[in-house]
């Protein structure tokens, strides 16, 4: 008898695949990756290992919103206080999440409303897949500084009633968000 075991990780964003996880890659595509890597032509980012958090912003409420699961999304996202309550009593993990989330909120609040709306929709309609890394709350990899990293993948617009992803291309949004973060980063 065969038993299938599924590992689901990465919160609402799901698992972010390593190269070896992607069963859809052809041999030619894998060879191309190795050739570019050996020629110093490969561009990419480090796959970080912290605590996953989906982040957005509600212009309607004037607050950042967080999500760890579809229920959080369908309920309109967690405010900073609700996020702190969710992780209350968990020591440095609570501090890591709330401090990173507060910094995100302050950064987004400094943006013009037109940019906020383009990035997040009017009411936290678009969430970005992020990782909270803090030396006080290590995961598998220990980092030496506090960071909130927006991933390259896993971002989505959601139907707030069902929690299902909408088929919307967010590549331009991600580029804009990265540019904005560079400008407001301290």
């Amino acid at each position: 008898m065969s038993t299938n075991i599924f590992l689901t990780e990465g919160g609402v964003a799901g698992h972010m695949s390593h190269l070896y996880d992607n069963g859809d890659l052809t041999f030619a595509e894998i060879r191309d990756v190795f050739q570019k890597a050996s020629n110093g032509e490969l561009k990419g980012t480090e796959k970080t290992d912290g605590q996953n958090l989906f982040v957005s912003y509600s212009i309607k409420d004037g607050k950042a919103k967080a999500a760890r699961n579809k229920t959080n999304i369908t309920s309109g996202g967690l405010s900073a206080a609700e996020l702190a309550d969710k992780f209350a009593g968990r020591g440095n993990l609570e501090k890591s999440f709330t401090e990173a989330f507060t910094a995100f909120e302050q950064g987004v609040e400094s943006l013009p409303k037109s940019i906020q709306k383009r990035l997040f929709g009017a009411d936290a309609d678009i969430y970005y897949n992020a990782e909270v890394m803090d030396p006080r709350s290590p995961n598998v990899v220990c980092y030496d500084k506090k960071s909130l990293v927006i991933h390259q993948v896993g971002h989505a617009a959601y139907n707030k009633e069902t929690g299902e992803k909408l088929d919307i291309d967010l590549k331009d949004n991600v580029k804009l968000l990265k540019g904005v973060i560079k400008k407001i980063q301290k």
Side-chain angles (χ1 to χ4, degrees):
M1 174 170 32
S2 172
T3 303
N4 291 327
I5 299 173
F6 295 96
L7 173 63
T8 56
E9 54 185 318
V12 72
H15 176 68
M16 290 184 2
S17 295
H18 292 276
L19 187 62
Y20 60 79
D21 288 329
N22 189 341
D24 294 330
L25 285 175
T26 66
F27 178 77
E29 291 169 326
I30 293 171
R31 184 184 65 214
D32 184 52
V33 168
F34 286 131
Q35 285 177 335
K36 286 180 179 174
S38 67
N39 292 332
E41 301 167 351
L42 188 63
K43 293 184 180 180
T45 59
E46 171 189 1
K47 183 177 175 187
T48 56
D49 177 54
Q51 281 78 31
N52 188 258
L53 186 66
F54 253 35
V55 293
S56 189
Y57 188 82
S58 171
I59 295 171
K60 183 184 101 182
D61 295 341
K63 295 181 184 213
K65 299 290 182 163
R68 293 275 295 169
N69 54 48
K70 284 185 182 181
T71 301
N72 296 151
I73 291 170
T74 57
S75 69
L78 302 170
S79 67
E82 292 166 328
L83 183 64
D85 285 345
K86 183 174 184 69
F87 291 97
R90 295 182 66 187
N92 288 328
L93 182 60
E94 176 187 353
K95 291 176 188 173
S96 297
F97 271 125
T98 56
E99 288 175 15
F101 191 64
T102 298
F104 171 77
E105 185 172 64
Q106 290 170 348
V108 172
E109 286 172 344
S110 72
L111 301 174
K113 294 265 189 262
S114 61
I115 299 293
Q116 291 174 354
K117 187 169 184 175
R118 184 168 167 206
L119 288 172
F120 305 105
D123 189 22
D125 304 306
I126 300 169
Y127 282 82
Y128 294 89
N129 185 19
E131 208 75 20
V132 176
M133 296 168 298
D134 189 325
R136 299 172 298 179
S137 181
N139 202 354
V140 174
V141 178
C142 297
Y143 294 95
D144 60 354
K145 66 180 181 175
K146 298 177 192 177
S147 301
L148 176 68
V149 175
I150 306 295
H151 288 296
Q152 297 286 333
V153 297
H155 319 296
Y158 286 89
N159 176 320
K160 288 188 185 174
E161 292 181 19
T162 65
E164 298 303 314
K165 287 183 183 180
L166 302 176
D167 189 21
I168 297 174
D169 183 1
L170 297 173
K171 287 179 187 167
D172 289 339
N173 282 42
V174 174
K175 287 179 189 174
L176 175 61
L177 181 59
K178 287 182 179 240
V180 165
I181 288 172
K182 282 184 181 180
K183 287 182 183 177
I184 63 175
Q185 192 171 26
K186 293 181 182 177

